[in-house]
Structures are given as C-alpha cells and as structure tokens.
C-alpha cells in the first residue's frame, strides 16, 4: 500500500500528465494566451486533491514561435511554466514543469507533511 506522500506524488503526476497531454498542440497566440492559461488551470483544478494550478504562457516565446501568417503557433512545454499544489491526507506536494535539454520535465519541488 502506498504511503500518503507516495499517493500525493502519484496524484501530482496524474494531474501533470492530464494537463500537458490535453493541451499540447492547442493553437495559441499572444492574444489568446490568458484565456488558455485560465482554461488549463481551471480544468485541472477540477480533479480530486488538486488545490491550485498556475499556468504562465509567455507571450514573447509564443510570438517567437509563430512561423506563418495565420498568427498562432501550437502550445508546447517550452512556451509555458506550470506549478501545482496537490493535497492528500495532510501531505502537500508542490510540483513544477521545467525544461531540460529542450524537453519539458515535471518535477516535485517539495513535499510537506510526509
């Protein structure tokens, strides 16, 4: 049986997988970034044990990634920063997404109450 801390970490992984793979490839432009941030955060916050999600899509990175006249690009991990707080049975897990060699990695930033 998993410990409360292990279960909280598992829940964090599920939330990150859902967020990233649900929204990767979504058309995004600097003018739509705020509404996409809100939609991403609010959708993941619906899931059990998810206390908060912060999504920051960087307009400058989005603008730099636009390579055609239609004014948008596809959302990728390199265009955003994401942080989450998961709470399960008195354990709080804080996570974040960081880029490593051009690849988005989700990592545990801290575990409290374990």
């Amino acid at each position: 049986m998993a410990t409360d801390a292990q279960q909280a970490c598992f829940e964090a992984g599920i939330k990150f997988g859902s967020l990233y793979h649900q929204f990767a490839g979504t058309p995004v432009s600097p003018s739509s970034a705020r509404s996409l941030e809100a939609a991403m955060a609010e959708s993941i916050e619906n899931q059990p044990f998810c206390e908060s999600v912060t999504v920051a899509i960087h307009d400058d990175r989005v603008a730099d990634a636009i390579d055609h006249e239609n004014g948008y690009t596809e959302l990728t991990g390199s265009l955003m920063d994401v942080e989450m707080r998961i709470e399960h049975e008195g354990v709080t897990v804080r996570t974040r997404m960081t880029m490593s060699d051009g690849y988005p990695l989700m990592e545990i930033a801290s575990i409290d109450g374990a």
Side-chain angles (χ1 to χ4, degrees):
M1 196 71 189
T3 67
D4 290 334
Q6 290 168 331
Q7 187 64 40
C9 290
F10 172 79
E11 292 293 340
I14 293 297
K15 277 50 165 178
F16 251 121
S18 178
L19 180 138
Y20 192 84
H21 293 290
Q22 179 177 346
F23 290 99
T26 299
V28 64
S29 67
S31 65
S32 69
R34 301 301 76 78
S35 62
L36 184 56
E37 288 170 343
M40 292 172 73
E42 290 173 12
S43 71
I44 301 305
E45 286 173 347
N46 285 321
Q47 296 183 37
F49 313 113
C50 191
E51 294 300 316
S52 69
V53 177
T54 303
V55 178
I57 299 173
H58 300 279
D59 293 343
D60 57 336
R61 296 180 197 171
V62 171
D64 289 346
I66 296 171
D67 62 358
H68 52 81
E69 68 279 353
N70 295 315
Y72 74 92
T73 190
E74 293 180 0
L75 186 66
T76 65
S78 65
L79 303 178
M80 62 181 162
D81 294 322
V82 180
E83 295 182 353
M84 292 187 198
R85 189 178 84 243
I86 309 302
E87 294 184 8
H88 181 270
E89 299 295 329
V91 176
T92 300
V93 175
R94 296 180 193 281
T95 63
R96 65 179 166 241
M97 184 176 69
T98 59
M99 296 299 292
S100 177
D101 294 326
Y103 188 82
L105 293 178
M106 290 65 174
E107 65 183 20
I108 296 170
S110 68
I111 301 172
D112 297 315

